[in-house]
C-alpha cells in the first residue's frame, strides 16, 4: 500500500470512529448551549474636561453593555439613544467636576452610566463595562 493510500485509509477510519466515540452532538454547532449574556459595544466617547490652566484636557471612555442574549437586538435598535444618553451623562459629570484628570473613578462612571441607561432600557441590561478609560 502506498503512503497516500495508508493516509486515506487512516483518516476514513478515524472519521467513521470519532462520532461513535464522542457522540454526534460534539460535532454540531447547534448542540452548544446558548449564551445567557452577550456584550454589545457602544463605542468610544471623548469628553472635554475643565482645566484651570486652560490646557486642553479630555477623557476617553469606551463603553460596552452586557445584556441578556434575547434582548440584544432591542439594544441594537436603541443604540443611537443609548449613545446619546452616555454622552449626555459624561458631559454632565464633567460640568459638575466629577471627572477630573487623574482623579476620576471608573467605578463611579460605570454606576452613573448604568443608572442613565437603565432609564432607557433596564430590562435585559446586566452591566456596563468600561473597557478603556484614558485621561489626557
Amino acid at each position: 500500500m502506498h503512503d497516500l493510500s495508508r493516509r486515506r485509509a487512516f483518516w476514513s477510519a478515524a472519521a467513521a470512529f470519532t462520532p461513535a466515540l464522542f457522540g454526534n452532538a460534539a460535532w454540531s454547532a447547534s448542540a452548544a448551549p446558548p449564551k445567557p449574556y452577550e456584550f454589545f459595544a457602544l463605542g468610544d466617547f471623548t469628553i472635554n474636561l475643565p482645566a484651570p490652566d486652560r490646557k486642553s484636557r479630555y477623557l476617553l471612555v469606551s463603553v460596552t453593555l452586557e445584556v441578556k442574549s434575547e434582548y440584544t437586538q432591542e439594544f441594537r435598535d436603541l443604540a443611537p439613544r443609548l449613545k446619546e444618553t452616555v454622552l449626555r451623562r459624561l458631559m454632565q459629570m464633567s460640568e459638575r467636576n466629577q471627572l477630573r484628570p487623574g482623579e476620576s473613578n471608573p467605578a463611579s462612571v460605570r454606576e452613573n452610566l448604568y443608572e442613565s441607561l437603565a432609564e432607557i432600557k433596564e430590562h435585559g441590561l446586566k452591566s456596563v463595562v468600561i473597557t478603556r478609560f484614558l485621561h489626557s
Side-chain angles (χ1 to χ4, degrees):
M1 198 181 248
H2 295 358
D3 189 37
L4 182 59
S5 298
R6 284 187 212 162
R7 286 185 197 160
R8 286 185 183 156
F10 170 77
W11 286 113
S12 294
F17 180 69
T18 304
L21 182 62
F22 296 108
N24 289 335
W27 296 100
S28 69
S30 63
K35 297 183 289 186
Y37 291 95
E38 292 184 24
F39 291 98
F40 175 64
L42 285 180
D44 296 335
F45 299 87
T46 305
I47 304 299
N48 291 326
L49 299 177
D53 55 5
R54 306 286 250 174
K55 289 185 180 179
S56 178
R57 304 271 188 222
Y58 63 89
L59 173 67
L60 174 68
V61 181
S62 296
V63 179
T64 299
L65 306 181
E66 187 176 7
V67 300
K68 287 186 178 181
S69 295
E70 62 263 23
Y71 295 102
T72 303
Q73 187 56 50
E74 290 180 35
F75 279 91
R76 280 193 182 108
D77 293 343
L78 289 170
R81 176 74 48 155
L82 298 170
K83 290 176 182 183
E84 176 191 33
T85 300
V86 168
L87 187 59
R88 188 174 53 238
R89 178 53 79 106
L90 290 171
M91 288 173 64
Q92 288 171 350
M93 292 178 72
S94 175
E95 290 169 0
R96 295 178 185 152
N97 265 341
Q98 294 173 322
L99 299 176
R100 287 180 278 171
E103 298 178 22
S104 301
N105 181 355
S108 173
V109 172
R110 184 181 57 78
E111 290 171 14
N112 275 284
L113 293 179
Y114 183 90
E115 290 172 8
S116 293
L117 293 169
E119 291 175 10
I120 303 266
K121 175 89 174 109
E122 182 175 18
H123 197 65
L125 179 62
K126 179 181 181 190
S127 173
V128 173
V129 181
I130 305 291
T131 57
R132 190 174 355 172
F133 197 81
L134 300 172
H135 286 282
S136 69

